[in-house]
Structures are given as C-alpha cells and as structure tokens.
Amino acid sequence: AFVTGASRGIGRACAISLASAGHRVVLAARDLAKLESVAEEIRATGGTAFVSAMDLSSEDSIRAAFKQAASEAGPITILVNNAGITRDGLSMRMKREDWDAVLQTNLTGSFLCIQQVMPAMMKERWGRIVNISSVVGESGNPGQANYVASKAGLIGLTKSLAQELGSRNITVNAITPGFIDTDMTAVLSEEVKQRMLAGIPLKRFGKPEDVAAAVR
Ligand code: NAP
C-alpha cells in the first residue's frame, strides 16, 4: 500500500492503520526524516514500512518514488492519494502560482500517482485506489477556490476511473472528510474554528484516525 502525505496528519494515521491490518506500506512525502520516524513507529509494532521521498509537484520525482517503491516493496495494489495543500485567498487577488501549486499537488499529482500504479493493478487483477477529497469539494467554500476546484476535480476523477477500472477488479473511491484536527487546520483562527464547530453535530472536530478507519 502506497500512502502519499504519510509524514503527518491523516496520511500518517492511514499508513499506521493499513500496516496494522497487515499491509506492507510505503510512506511518501517530501520530508524524509518525518517519514522515517513514522516508519519506525510502524516497525516497532511489528509492521513493515518503507519510505520514499517524493514531491508531487514534480512528475520526475513521482516516477522515481514509485520505481523505488516497487523495487523495494513489490507491486503496489493499494494507493491512498492523501497528500494535499492549501493556499487560501479570495479569488480576485489569488496569485496564479497559488492556483497552480494547489491544482498541481492535489489533483494532477494524484492523477500521476494513479497512472503509476495502474499497470501493476491490472496485472494483479486487483487494486484499491482511495482519493482523499473534502466536503468543500461538494459544498464550495469562499476563500478556497483553488483548493475546492482541486477537491471537486478529485471527485470527478474518482467517478471516471471507477467506471474505467471496475471491470479489472480495481475500485476507485473518494472520501470527503469534514474538519480534521491536523497541521492543515491548526493555522485557522479560533473564530473560524468555533464557527465550524457550531455546524458539527457531534460538537467535536474529526481525528486523523476517523479518516484512516474509513480508508482501511
Ligand atoms: P497535513 O497535516 O498538512 O499533511 C499534508 C501531508 O501532505 C504531509 O504529509 C505533507 O508532507 C504532504 N505533502 C504536502 N505537499 C506535498 C508535496 N508537494 N509532495 C508530497 N507530499 C506533500 O494535512 P492533513 O490535514 O493530514 O490532510 C491530508 C489530506 O486530507 C489532504 O489532501 C487534505 O486536503 C485532506 N483533507 C483535510 C481536512 C482537514 O480538515 N485536515 C479535511 C478534508 C480533507 P511534506 O510536507 O513532508 O511533503
């Protein structure tokens, strides 16, 4: 199982959960030191973990990471496209580079990762692809046009690929988490957090483990 963005937050929880379910996991992200420490955590509990430095904004880096992963861990039959970034701002003043960075990492990067795993999944006649989208990909959110476009794009990508690949016994699903307590949401103001909390029936934010359970 290859998990992108496994160095922290939701991806870390997914990697730990899949490893505890008996899967050999490959942890990918840019920060190799953080990946190593999550891998150590997994190995300490008897799991099997590999690390692969990868930057989703570079196609060469993605190719190299999957090549390394396949040679060390074997064919990848589970992919969790979890890595993602935000560059929030109102559209009128949004810089082109902030639009491009978010679309490149969240949407194009995910598509390129899927292309890397498709041949092995077809050969094995089995595959599981899980894309981490977001509730805002369905609802929209002011100040996040780039992020929302990338997450809505992921939903469309998921539905199309599910139809392309279903006959090969490869399922493609998306999960659309609400507010989850991670580094990504830690930067939000107390006022924004309180407003969001008010709209959550359980009156608590989600935990990375909640999403990991759905992925598993
Ligand atoms: P996070 O704590 O900020 O972690 C993001 C992960 O993505 C890190 O492991 C990061 O590692 C990796 N990453 C970022 N840019 C990358 C790049 N260019 N190449 C490779 N890896 C990269 O975020 P999170 O909250 O766990 O979110 C995980 C996913 O869930 C994201 O797709 C996010 O949009 C989605 N989501 C989150 C929430 C929420 O409330 N937190 C809600 C809905 C959906 P490095 O920095 O080491 O590369």
Side-chain angles (χ1 to χ4, degrees), residues 4-11 28-31 54-57 81-85 105-106 132-135 147 151 176-185:
T4 72
S7 56
R8 50 202 161 87
I10 295 169
R30 291 167 300 182
D31 188 331
M54 180 183 80
D55 184 347
L56 282 168
S57 63
N81 267 323
N82 160 80
I85 56 167
T105 301
N106 299 6
I132 306 298
S133 176
S134 167
V135 278
Y147 182 77
K151 294 302 185 181
T176 58
F179 189 111
I180 308 296
D181 208 354
T182 67
D183 291 351
M184 184 177 273
T185 44

Side-chain angles (χ1 to χ4, degrees), residues 25-198:
V25 292
V26 182
L27 318 177
R30 291 167 300 182
D31 188 331
L32 200 51
K34 282 209 180 103
L35 290 175
E36 266 303 346
S37 108
V38 179
E40 272 312 314
E41 241 181 289
I42 289 172
R43 291 176 196 130
T45 56
T48 307
F50 305 84
V51 297
S52 197
M54 180 183 80
D55 184 347
L56 282 168
S57 63
S58 151
E59 192 167 350
D60 287 347
S61 168
I62 293 172
R63 279 182 206 281
F66 278 92
K67 199 168 167 206
Q68 182 197 335
S71 74
E72 288 177 0
I76 310 291
T77 51
I78 300 173
L79 170 66
V80 183
N81 267 323
N82 160 80
I85 56 167
T86 51
R87 296 272 189 280
D88 296 352
L90 291 173
S91 299
M92 195 140 105
R93 283 193 299 271
M94 185 175 285
K95 293 197 186 79
R96 171 69 193 261
E97 67 214 50
D98 290 338
W99 172 269
D100 286 343
V102 170
L103 269 292
Q104 175 66 40
T105 301
N106 299 6
L107 183 57
T108 308
S110 296
F111 175 67
L112 294 174
C113 289
I114 292 170
Q115 279 196 318
Q116 289 297 308
V117 297
M118 277 200 285
M121 290 183 178
M122 297 241 189
K123 196 160 167 237
E124 300 286 321
R125 294 210 147 268
W126 192 89
R128 295 287 176 264
I129 297 169
V130 182
N131 297 319
I132 306 298
S133 176
S134 167
V135 278
V136 300
E138 296 180 295
S139 67
N141 200 25
Q144 287 200 306
N146 49 358
Y147 182 77
V148 170
S150 75
K151 294 302 185 181
L154 264 184
I155 293 172
L157 176 67
T158 301
K159 289 179 173 175
S160 298
L161 288 180
Q163 292 172 38
E164 275 186 32
L165 300 175
S167 64
R168 310 294 186 110
N169 205 22
I170 299 168
T171 64
V172 190
N173 286 280
I175 292 176
T176 58
F179 189 111
I180 308 296
D181 208 354
T182 67
D183 291 351
M184 184 177 273
T185 44
V187 296
L188 298 173
S189 71
E190 204 45 46
E191 188 200 333
V192 169
K193 285 186 191 170
Q194 287 310 318
R195 205 174 338 117
M196 290 187 158
L197 201 54

